[in-house]
Amino acid sequence: MKVVKFGGSSLASGPAVANALKIITSDPERQIVVTSAPGKRHAGDIKVTDLLIRYANQIIGGENASATVEEIFQRYVEIGHYFGVEEGNISHLRDILLSLPNGNYPNNEYLMAAFKAHGECLNAQLIAIILNEQGVKARFVDPKAAGLTVTGSPNNASIAPESYQALENFEYEPDEKLIFPGFYGYTLAGHIATFSRGGSDITGAILARGFHADLYENFTDVDAIFSANPAVVDHPLPIQTMTYREMRELSYAGFSVFHDEALIPAIQGQIPINVKNTQHPEKRGTMIVPEKHFKPEHIMTGIASSKHFAALYLHKYLINKEVGFTLRILNILSKYGLSYEHMPTGIDDLTIIFDKNKLSDEIIDSVCDDIQTEINPDHLEWINDYAIIMIVGEGMKNHIGVMRDIATPVAAQGISLRMVNQGSSEISIMIGTTTEDADRAVKAIYDYFFKR
Amino acid sequence: MKVVKFGGSSLASGPAVANALKIITSDPERQIVVTSAPGKRHAGDIKVTDLLIRYANQIIGGENASATVEEIFQRYVEIGHYFGVEEGNISHLRDILLSLPNGNYPNNEYLMAAFKAHGECLNAQLIAIILNEQGVKARFVDPKAAGLTVTGSPNNASIAPESYQALENFEYEPDEKLIFPGFYGYTLAGHIATFSRGGSDITGAILARGFHADLYENFTDVDAIFSANPAVVDHPLPIQTMTYREMRELSYAGFSVFHDEALIPAIQGQIPINVKNTQHPEKRGTMIVPEKHFKPEHIMTGIASSKHFAALYLHKYLINKEVGFTLRILNILSKYGLSYEHMPTGIDDLTIIFDKNKLSDEIIDSVCDDIQTEINPDHLEWINDYAIIMIVGEGMKNHIGVMRDIATPVAAQGISLRMVNQGSSEISIMIGTTTEDADRAVKAIYDYFFKR
């Protein structure tokens, strides 16, 4: 049995949904379907999720939202119409939308979560209707009915472990398709809470684990996961097979095809993942598999870069003789609720690398002030344009000379390395450059590994 | 004015002391002299400090120590005899030794400190006597008289800041030599406490700062500090000039010619240090100078390796999303009073590098157990034979391609890199290998930098 998940662009319009349905019905193993909300039909279009956010904000602001409701509903009407589904047969979807403001929400965050979730919810209902009209036995399953329980914050929830027990006990017929909305679950108190944005991938992985699927097929809009960003490297090789942890390391540095958090349930259930293109389901796509028995094809599987970092450099003589010194720095950071990405230490030096998205100018100033006062370093420097490049590959594990093969093309380009971090991970090397140099470094390393 | 410090081997015998005195008297600028205790006269000999430790342990154990006292005293008699000093003229040194057990010591640690300090103390007194008999105006100065106050544990004390004020007010004649014993000071309560072993270097640096010396000459038994360990690399280049922080980084990985802690007062006073050979004072030796205005001669100044490390490798999916995760690890370590050397982090990986000298098997087991229980990693591995190699040079700072020039010879030797840490320090790169590969890696890198 396979769990099949479709992304927003794969369900954005009638023709797109038709494509998806062809995929679903062409293989009886594809029994559990996870939907996203309809995405953009064309550049400049608005995703249904964004319309729902607008709707929620209008309600919170006490504004009239009827035009927004109609705009959302018409997206589903348009898709239904493509399959000959009468508007009258789906008018209850409008009623659901209209009744959303009457829900019982502990606060506006829960309201927002519930509104957003209905992009997926209505799409799943619509797809079940279409399939049934086509004579395919299909059932819409609300996460609540399946026992998909979540905890944590309403717009960034986590799966509760008891969900897996509930899913195991969920009964269904061998010939029916179950249509699950992605992206959300219910708290123990019965409120809707969503995963982080793009969270339909997570729902798919949870169902794949809960139902003990043989395969989790993740249909999206690319032929495969590529070994480098096609915007940086010309025609990068598609990755045929990679391991969970390779995916994880590449995700960290910007590979966003598959949702990072969705890896966990797949790993826990050891369910292989197949990322495929809805437009070209005949292509093999990329398999993401357990480490066990994996034989790497290349030394390097992929290279990624991410430019949203900043770093604090600190030098103080005899710093490593000061007991509890790192602890004091960590306490300063935690005082401002600040987490750091990496903290390479030298003998009397320390570099703290931050994700810029989690920073503000005031926090930077306060942290620097506190460190100046409490640590009294000889030298303190803020570096604002920090890029991290990850070179990832299971094949690097026992291969001698990888560092040379990374450093050689970078030096040939005249690029200076701000940071090298090898050895914390067995399957990756992390280097730092200026944001300006990052793309050139990626291209040079890629070419050196793959085009020599 | 110059502060001149002589190491134990430079003051081990009559001929050695004669050499030192020639150095002292040949330059009127050499006005402040710091002595060590007499060291080994030949392989298999016992240092006076070790005899004093034996003496202290005999007193603590209630044993008869008269033979030991005599053995110690005879070392000074032998030196004095070389200069024609009658035993009768230094018999008070024996009285000092004999009266040591009658001192007032808060505990046995203070007793040990006071006994050890007398190796330096008696040597300084003897040298002042010899100089005066030779017609050179010289004065023994006890650290108490100079206000050299220390704090901290009795056998690992630190200088108290008020000492510098006291030294500034200390009066002496322009034509007299002051002979200070190295290695120890007095607590505010008036008890002797020593610096860490080899601490005469520290006393010299403190005096150089306190008396605003133009130069701190450190006389030892090597012609210079070499750019690599001569036991690993054939005839390594002597380092002509290096900066304080280069010295500090090389010290960390095993360069032991100059005491690490002695750098601090020199840095604070910005006093240049000259490491020279007592046997060849005409050779220029190695200058250790402030970073300011320093122009590096080579890209790499020196390379050092140290084999007494071990590492704990830990992998857990999504570890970097667990807030306060590093804090939890640090708390486990601090529970066992354990400090770590470095902690490079990957995405879901972490390596903690320890100094093996600070570890015991029980602590390793307990720490691993606690991490297993509290962190629950997917993979935990203890790596026992970890060597760290430091490649150091102010010239590396703005030089592109250093990483390539390190990785290339290492790869050519078929040596795999366990760890690369670049970017925490501006002037060094740290790499990790097995202890078995370390020397070969050092040699390969050295040759690549200096013999191409």
Side-chain angles (χ1 to χ4, degrees):
Chain A
M1 190 274 289
K2 300 173 184 171
V3 169
V4 200
K5 178 257 165 185
F6 293 94
S9 58
S10 303
L11 301 175
S13 65
V17 171
N19 225 340
L21 297 188
K22 206 158 69 186
I23 291 168
I24 295 168
T25 52
S26 68
D27 184 348
E29 291 286 301
R30 289 175 177 144
Q31 224 182 330
I32 292 169
V33 177
V34 178
T35 66
S36 300
K40 292 183 184 181
R41 292 159 295 188
H42 48 78
D45 198 13
I46 306 177
K47 295 179 181 181
V48 166
T49 305
D50 289 321
L51 291 173
L52 285 159
I53 291 171
R54 186 206 294 166
Y55 180 21
N57 284 325
Q58 285 168 334
I59 296 303
I60 291 168
E63 298 165 39
N64 185 313
S66 31
T68 306
V69 169
E70 205 48 37
E71 196 175 344
I72 297 167
F73 178 59
Q74 283 308 319
R75 290 292 305 267
Y76 295 101
V77 170
E78 181 196 308
I79 294 170
H81 187 254
Y82 184 86
F83 296 96
V85 177
E86 298 291 325
E87 190 172 324
N89 286 355
I90 56 167
S91 59
H92 62 291
L93 301 187
R94 182 198 268 127
D95 297 337
I96 293 172
L97 282 171
L98 286 170
S99 69
L100 275 176
N102 309 324
N104 162 33
Y105 309 111
N107 57 42
N108 283 342
E109 284 188 66
Y110 280 97
L111 180 149
M112 181 59 80
F115 275 58
K116 281 192 306 182
H118 277 77
E120 280 72 11
C121 176
L122 300 188
N123 220 15
Q125 296 191 41
L126 176 64
I127 285 167
I129 291 167
I130 295 168
L131 280 170
N132 279 309
E133 289 209 0
Q134 292 186 338
V136 178
K137 192 170 166 186
R139 172 159 54 125
F140 164 74
V141 183
D142 190 74
K144 190 182 251 169
L148 210 153
T149 310
V150 296
T151 57
S153 64
N155 292 285
N156 192 13
S158 306
I159 188 75
E162 58 263 36
S163 303
Y164 293 111
Q165 193 60 51
L167 289 171
E168 285 201 0
N169 296 331
F170 188 83
E171 288 182 11
Y172 59 102
E173 302 300 320
D175 64 338
E176 73 174 336
K177 309 274 187 198
L178 303 182
I179 318 295
F180 277 87
F183 190 37
Y184 71 100
Y186 287 81
T187 65
L188 270 178
H191 300 293
I192 285 180
T194 72
F195 301 119
S196 55
R197 186 131 198 186
S200 292
D201 282 350
I202 302 176
T203 303
I206 290 166
L207 298 181
R209 180 185 163 193
F211 286 112
H212 301 287
D214 301 305
L215 183 65
Y216 172 26
E217 291 182 312
N218 194 288
F219 280 94
T220 176
D221 53 3
V222 291
D223 283 345
I225 297 174
F226 292 99
S227 47
N229 182 350
V232 175
V233 170
D234 277 344
H235 301 293
L237 283 178
I239 299 172
Q240 304 223 325
T241 310
M242 69 198 299
T243 63
Y244 296 134
R245 58 181 186 173
E246 286 180 320
M247 182 73 253
R248 167 83 177 119
E249 305 239 353
L250 288 167
S251 288
Y252 176 79
F255 273 40
S256 58
V257 175
F258 186 74
H259 198 297
D260 201 17
E261 284 174 49
L263 277 172
I264 302 302
I267 293 166
Q268 289 164 335
Q270 295 284 293
I271 319 285
I273 302 160
N274 194 1
V275 174
K276 300 190 80 167
N277 191 340
T278 322
Q279 300 303 313
H280 299 287
E282 73 287 359
K283 295 199 175 172
R284 67 192 304 277
T286 298
M287 288 293 295
I288 310 172
V289 302
E291 283 80 41
K292 223 172 156 182
H293 309 307
F294 174 76
K295 293 223 172 22
E297 209 184 330
H298 304 284
I299 296 167
M300 174 172 96
T301 297
I303 177 167
S305 69
S306 201
K307 298 174 186 171
H308 55 88
F309 296 98
L312 186 71
Y313 169 79
L314 188 156
H315 179 272
K316 186 183 184 186
Y317 274 105
L318 289 191
I319 213 172
N320 79 342
K321 296 200 175 175
E322 293 186 22
V323 175
F325 156 75
T326 325
L327 217 57
R328 273 154 66 207
I329 298 229
L330 290 185
N331 281 329
I332 293 174
L333 298 185
S334 91
K335 182 174 149 190
Y336 294 99
L338 203 58
S339 64
Y340 67 93
E341 299 297 304
H342 303 284
M343 198 194 287
T345 54
I347 311 308
D348 289 330
D349 310 69
L350 180 86
T351 304
I352 314 174
I353 300 170
F354 297 98
D355 183 341
K356 269 202 218 176
N357 300 330
K358 299 176 188 165
L359 291 174
S360 70
D361 284 351
E362 304 92 88
I363 284 190
I364 295 172
D365 285 347
S366 303
V367 166
C368 288
D369 280 357
D370 279 17
I371 288 178
Q372 190 68 55
T373 312
E374 289 185 39
I375 312 289
N376 191 25
D378 302 318
H379 183 56
L380 190 68
E381 188 181 341
W382 183 262
I383 303 157
N384 212 31
D385 62 323
Y386 212 99
I388 286 183
I389 298 171
M390 297 283 303
I391 299 99
V392 177
E394 294 278 350
M396 285 161 50
K397 200 171 162 182
N398 295 309
H399 189 84
I400 288 166
V402 179
M403 193 63 241
R404 173 196 56 197
D405 295 344
I406 290 168
T408 300
V410 171
Q413 286 289 319
I415 294 170
S416 89
L417 289 173
R418 278 188 170 163
M419 179 262 285
V420 177
N421 178 356
Q422 185 217 315
S424 32
S425 163
E426 296 179 306
I427 61 153
S428 72
I429 294 178
M430 193 189 296
I431 64 175
T433 66
T434 63
T435 49
E436 196 193 332
D437 285 339
D439 286 351
R440 212 151 42 89
V442 166
K443 202 174 154 5
I445 296 168
Y446 181 91
D447 288 351
Y448 199 80
F449 271 84
F450 284 119
K451 296 194 180 165
R452 253 191 306 171
Chain B
M1 191 273 290
K2 300 173 185 170
V3 169
V4 200
K5 178 259 166 184
F6 293 94
S9 58
S10 302
L11 300 175
S13 65
V17 172
N19 225 339
L21 298 188
K22 207 159 68 186
I23 291 168
I24 294 168
T25 53
S26 69
D27 183 350
E29 290 286 303
R30 291 177 175 142
Q31 224 182 330
I32 292 169
V33 177
V34 178
T35 66
S36 299
K40 292 183 185 182
R41 291 159 296 188
H42 48 78
D45 197 14
I46 305 175
K47 294 178 180 181
V48 166
T49 305
D50 288 322
L51 291 173
L52 285 160
I53 290 171
R54 186 207 293 166
Y55 179 22
N57 283 326
Q58 284 167 337
I59 296 303
I60 291 168
E63 298 165 40
N64 185 311
S66 32
T68 305
V69 170
E70 206 49 36
E71 197 176 342
I72 297 166
F73 178 58
Q74 283 306 320
R75 292 290 305 267
Y76 296 101
V77 170
E78 181 196 306
I79 295 169
H81 186 253
Y82 184 87
F83 295 95
V85 177
E86 299 290 325
E87 190 175 322
N89 285 356
I90 57 167
S91 59
H92 63 291
L93 301 186
R94 182 198 268 126
D95 298 337
I96 293 172
L97 281 171
L98 285 170
S99 68
L100 274 176
N102 308 325
N104 161 33
Y105 309 112
N107 58 40
N108 284 341
E109 284 189 66
Y110 280 96
L111 180 149
M112 181 60 81
F115 275 57
K116 282 192 305 182
H118 276 76
E120 279 73 9
C121 176
L122 301 188
N123 220 16
Q125 296 191 41
L126 176 64
I127 286 167
I129 291 167
I130 295 169
L131 280 171
N132 280 308
E133 289 209 0
Q134 292 185 339
V136 179
K137 191 171 167 185
R139 172 159 52 124
F140 164 74
V141 184
D142 189 74
K144 190 181 252 169
L148 209 154
T149 310
V150 296
T151 57
S153 63
N155 291 285
N156 193 14
S158 306
I159 188 74
E162 57 263 38
S163 302
Y164 294 111
Q165 192 61 50
L167 289 171
E168 285 201 0
N169 296 331
F170 188 83
E171 289 182 9
Y172 59 102
E173 302 298 321
D175 63 340
E176 73 176 334
K177 310 277 187 195
L178 303 182
I179 319 295
F180 278 87
F183 190 36
Y184 70 101
Y186 287 82
T187 65
L188 270 179
H191 300 293
I192 284 180
T194 72
F195 301 119
S196 56
R197 185 130 199 187
S200 291
D201 281 351
I202 302 175
T203 303
I206 290 166
L207 298 181
R209 180 185 163 192
F211 286 112
H212 302 287
D214 301 305
L215 182 65
Y216 171 26
E217 290 182 311
N218 194 286
F219 281 93
T220 176
D221 52 4
V222 291
D223 283 346
I225 297 175
F226 291 99
S227 48
N229 182 350
V232 175
V233 170
D234 279 343
H235 301 293
L237 283 179
I239 300 171
Q240 304 223 326
T241 309
M242 68 199 297
T243 63
Y244 296 132
R245 58 181 186 174
E246 286 180 319
M247 181 74 253
R248 168 83 178 118
E249 305 239 353
L250 288 167
S251 287
Y252 176 80
F255 273 40
S256 57
V257 175
F258 187 74
H259 198 299
D260 202 17
E261 284 175 50
L263 277 171
I264 303 301
I267 292 166
Q268 290 165 334
Q270 295 283 293
I271 318 287
I273 301 161
N274 193 0
V275 174
K276 299 190 81 168
N277 192 342
T278 323
Q279 299 303 313
H280 300 287
E282 74 286 359
K283 295 198 175 173
R284 66 193 304 279
T286 297
M287 287 293 295
I288 310 172
V289 302
E291 284 79 41
K292 223 173 158 182
H293 309 308
F294 174 76
K295 292 223 173 25
E297 210 184 328
H298 304 284
I299 295 167
M300 173 172 94
T301 297
I303 177 167
S305 70
S306 201
K307 298 174 187 172
H308 55 89
F309 295 98
L312 185 72
Y313 169 78
L314 189 156
H315 179 271
K316 186 181 183 185
Y317 274 105
L318 289 191
I319 213 172
N320 80 341
K321 296 202 173 171
E322 294 185 23
V323 175
F325 156 75
T326 325
L327 217 58
R328 273 156 63 208
I329 298 231
L330 290 185
N331 281 329
I332 293 174
L333 298 185
S334 91
K335 182 174 150 192
Y336 294 99
L338 203 58
S339 65
Y340 67 92
E341 299 298 304
H342 303 284
M343 199 194 288
T345 54
I347 311 309
D348 290 330
D349 310 69
L350 179 85
T351 303
I352 314 174
I353 300 171
F354 297 98
D355 183 340
K356 269 202 216 175
N357 300 329
K358 298 177 189 164
L359 290 174
S360 70
D361 285 351
E362 303 93 271
I363 284 189
I364 295 172
D365 285 347
S366 303
V367 166
C368 287
D369 280 358
D370 278 18
I371 288 177
Q372 190 67 56
T373 312
E374 289 185 38
I375 311 290
N376 191 24
D378 302 317
H379 183 54
L380 190 68
E381 189 181 340
W382 183 262
I383 303 158
N384 211 31
D385 62 322
Y386 211 100
I388 286 183
I389 298 171
M390 298 282 304
I391 300 98
V392 177
E394 295 279 349
M396 286 161 48
K397 201 172 162 181
N398 295 310
H399 189 84
I400 287 167
V402 179
M403 193 63 241
R404 173 195 56 197
D405 294 345
I406 290 168
T408 299
V410 171
Q413 286 288 320
I415 294 170
S416 89
L417 289 173
R418 277 188 171 161
M419 179 262 287
V420 177
N421 178 356
Q422 185 219 314
S424 32
S425 163
E426 296 178 306
I427 61 152
S428 73
I429 293 178
M430 193 188 298
I431 65 175
T433 65
T434 63
T435 49
E436 198 194 331
D437 286 338
D439 285 351
R440 212 151 42 90
V442 166
K443 202 174 155 2
I445 296 167
Y446 182 91
D447 288 352
Y448 199 80
F449 272 83
F450 284 120
K451 295 193 179 166
R452 253 190 306 171

